[in-house]
């Protein structure tokens, strides 16, 4: 981590359409912000991967893939961690099971937990909030 990482302004992007093109752009913007803040590239890729997976889950589960809902993303760099909070305003829908013996679906939560140091998911009547955190090495003088 570079010395400037703790001083980056928060990244906020609210009211983004839960549609593939908008979510890909948000992932790109988040990655650029994390890298500009001085986070190591391999850690930045972990942040982008897990955040995008959480965003894709919003489209699939909160809005049933319709792209008609909105998502909010807030990211901040603290002295010891990067934290990304993704919130939707929909209702969780249990996905339809994939009948194929080997499916790519249903692995999103595993990916979130494998890519982030901490992943917290809270669902309620007003939507779901996913909080992801990655520990950062202390800045060395």
């Amino acid at each position: 981590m570079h010395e400037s990482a703790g001083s980056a302004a928060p990244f906020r992007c609210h009211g983004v359409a839960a549609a593939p093109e908008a979510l890909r752009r948000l992932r790109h913007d988040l990655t650029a912000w994390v890298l500009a803040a001085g986070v190591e590239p391999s850690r930045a890729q972990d942040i982008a991967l897990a955040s995008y997976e959480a965003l894709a889950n919003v489209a699939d589960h909160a809005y049933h893939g319709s792209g008609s809902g909105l998502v909010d993303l807030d990211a901040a760099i603290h002295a010891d961690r990067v934290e990304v909070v993704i919130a939707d305003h929909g209702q969780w829908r249990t996905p339809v099971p994939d009948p194929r013996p080997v499916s790519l679906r249903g692995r999103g939560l595993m990916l979130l937990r494998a890519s982030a140091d901490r992943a917290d998911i809270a669902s309620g009547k007003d939507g779901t909030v996913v909080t992801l955190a990655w520990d950062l090495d202390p800045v060395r003088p």
Side-chain angles (χ1 to χ4, degrees):
M1 182 175 85
H2 296 101
E3 291 185 35
S4 63
S7 62
F11 177 84
R12 299 176 143 240
C13 200
H14 289 201
V16 176
E21 186 174 313
L23 298 179
R24 282 191 298 273
R25 179 68 189 167
L26 184 54
R27 175 183 65 188
H28 173 77
D29 291 348
L30 176 65
T31 302
W33 174 82
V34 171
L35 289 170
V39 174
E40 296 174 359
S42 63
R43 189 57 117 174
Q45 290 306 313
D46 287 345
I47 293 167
L49 176 65
S51 298
Y52 185 71
E53 183 59 36
L55 290 166
N57 278 345
V58 167
D60 281 351
H61 300 298
Y63 304 120
H64 205 56
S66 69
S68 62
L70 300 176
V71 64
D72 302 331
L73 187 146
D74 291 282
I77 295 188
H78 304 277
D80 61 343
R81 72 189 185 288
V82 175
E83 188 173 86
V84 176
V85 178
I86 296 165
D88 68 57
H89 311 283
Q91 293 295 313
W92 179 266
R93 291 177 179 90
T94 303
V96 175
D98 191 334
R100 295 176 289 184
V102 178
S103 173
L104 297 176
R105 298 196 48 83
R107 294 189 171 87
L109 295 179
M110 289 183 349
L111 181 60
L112 290 180
R113 290 191 168 98
S115 300
D117 293 323
R118 283 174 301 289
D120 179 54
I121 302 160
S123 280
K125 64 181 177 95
D126 295 326
T128 299
V129 177
V130 177
T131 304
L132 305 168
W134 293 264
D135 296 328
L136 295 175
D137 294 329
V139 175
R140 293 178 190 91

